[in-house]
Amino acid sequence: HRDLHSFPTRRSSDLENFEHASTTVPLKIFWSEIGSFGTSTSGVFFLLFTLSFTQRYKFTNRKSILLLLVVPFITIILSFTNQFHHLIFEGGDLLPLTNDIVYHFGKWFWIFVFYEYSIIILAIIILLFSASHFYKIYKNQVYFLIVIYILPLITSILFVFKLTPLNVDMTPTSLICSGIFVGMGIYWKGMIEMMPVARKQIIENLSDGIIVVDMAGRIIDANHAIERITGLKHEQLINQPFEIIKEVLFQQSIDDSM
């Protein structure tokens, strides 16, 4: 699984090297067109992973996936036929000192960029919204994923809108970094094995009080039943030692006996 996961980022890096080594504008555009196969679908796969991670499975059916892939597939076809219409690349200016290229993008390229960025931003919004329904351990996973998503997004924006003086596309490198971070999350932190459970659907509907404590014995989450039993609000319980529950229950037992 390690090799399969790292394959897209290695391929992207190889194509970046081929493009940089090319000495003519048409050849550089050619390697960019080849690289579109991986980059055109990355945003959709980010979103699909997010929907699965947050257990929104009704949006990951075959029909939804096919609809999400319409724009990427059109982009791939237009990339490989760019020489006939120039809807992706209109051309470029070669910088002789660095052998880099300043691309002139076509009309469809900007449509795809808007779609790709919207998909990634939507995935980030879903993660942020879902974080409130997860226990603390899963919230850390959410923030971890958001960093992974934002890194290639920022580098892509800097390159596409020519906001960096170096005119170097760092998106493939950032994708490699994101791939490494995902690998760390999967194999070291067990991110996939600990898929989050929607707490409001299960925990909050229980009549029994549920408390989650960390290794230090501090409360990291509690359901509404505990709030009702102890008379303490959620924010009064979080990060407090578990002994506070014992003290409250002990005091209640004294009050009841009097």
Side-chain angles (χ1 to χ4, degrees):
H1 291 89
R2 290 177 187 263
D3 293 339
L4 181 61
H5 183 271
S6 61
F7 176 76
T9 53
R10 291 205 311 266
R11 176 59 58 87
S12 180
S13 179
D14 291 340
L15 292 173
E16 180 187 22
N17 293 332
F18 287 142
E19 179 196 358
H20 185 72
S22 304
T23 56
T24 63
V25 172
L27 196 55
K28 285 181 176 293
I29 291 178
F30 169 76
W31 287 115
S32 294
E33 293 168 354
I34 298 296
S36 67
F37 182 80
T39 57
S40 297
T41 55
S42 58
V44 171
F45 289 130
F46 271 145
L47 178 60
L48 291 175
F49 176 80
T50 299
L51 293 172
S52 296
F53 184 81
T54 57
Q55 298 188 342
R56 288 174 167 81
Y57 299 120
K58 64 180 180 179
F59 299 111
T60 58
N61 55 65
R62 181 178 298 179
K63 181 178 179 180
S64 298
I65 294 174
L66 290 176
L67 287 175
L68 287 171
L69 288 172
V70 168
V71 172
F73 283 163
I74 292 175
T75 303
I76 292 172
I77 294 172
L78 292 179
S79 294
F80 282 101
T81 59
N82 183 72
Q83 57 181 323
F84 302 109
H85 47 69
H86 303 291
L87 290 174
I88 304 296
F89 299 107
E90 293 181 349
D93 298 323
L94 195 62
L95 304 179
L97 294 179
T98 60
N99 197 38
D100 291 322
I101 183 173
V102 178
Y103 286 108
H104 303 308
F105 300 115
K107 295 179 180 179
W108 181 264
F109 176 86
W110 296 110
I111 295 175
F112 168 73
V113 164
F114 176 79
Y115 177 79
E116 184 82 349
Y117 291 172
S118 299
I119 287 290
I120 296 176
I121 292 173
L122 176 61
I124 294 173
I125 292 174
I126 291 174
L127 286 173
L128 287 172
F129 178 78
S130 301
S132 61
H133 306 311
F134 298 156
Y135 287 112
K136 184 178 179 180
I137 186 174
Y138 298 127
K139 290 182 180 180
N140 292 336
Q141 294 181 11
V142 169
Y143 301 144
F144 185 75
L145 286 173
I146 289 174
V147 172
I148 291 173
Y149 288 9
I150 288 179
L151 186 60
L153 177 63
I154 292 176
T155 54
S156 176
I157 290 174
L158 290 175
F159 175 73
V160 169
F161 293 97
K162 301 178 176 63
L163 300 177
T164 171
L166 298 177
N167 194 48
V168 177
D169 187 6
M170 297 299 295
T171 305
T173 303
S174 64
L175 284 172
I176 292 176
C177 294
S178 296
I180 293 174
F181 292 151
V182 170
M184 291 170 56
I186 293 175
Y187 296 105
W188 292 355
K189 302 298 183 181
M191 186 171 64
I192 299 302
E193 285 79 4
M194 297 189 301
M195 293 297 282
V197 177
R199 63 188 297 275
K200 285 190 175 181
Q201 295 180 2
I202 300 177
I203 304 300
E204 294 297 352
N205 292 326
L206 293 177
S207 58
D208 296 329
I210 301 293
I211 300 174
V212 181
V213 297
D214 59 15
M215 297 295 293
R218 291 189 173 274
I219 300 172
I220 61 175
D221 209 344
N223 66 350
H224 288 318
I226 279 292
E227 297 177 31
R228 185 182 67 254
I229 294 170
T230 62
L232 298 175
K233 295 182 179 180
H234 190 266
E235 55 269 19
Q236 294 176 301
L237 292 168
I238 300 303
N239 292 325
Q240 297 299 318
F242 180 69
E243 283 71 20
I244 191 175
I245 300 295
K246 297 180 180 179
E247 295 174 3
V248 171
L249 294 179
F250 178 73
Q251 184 62 43
Q252 287 180 352
S253 64
I254 293 177
D255 295 340
D256 292 341
S257 63
M258 294 179 62

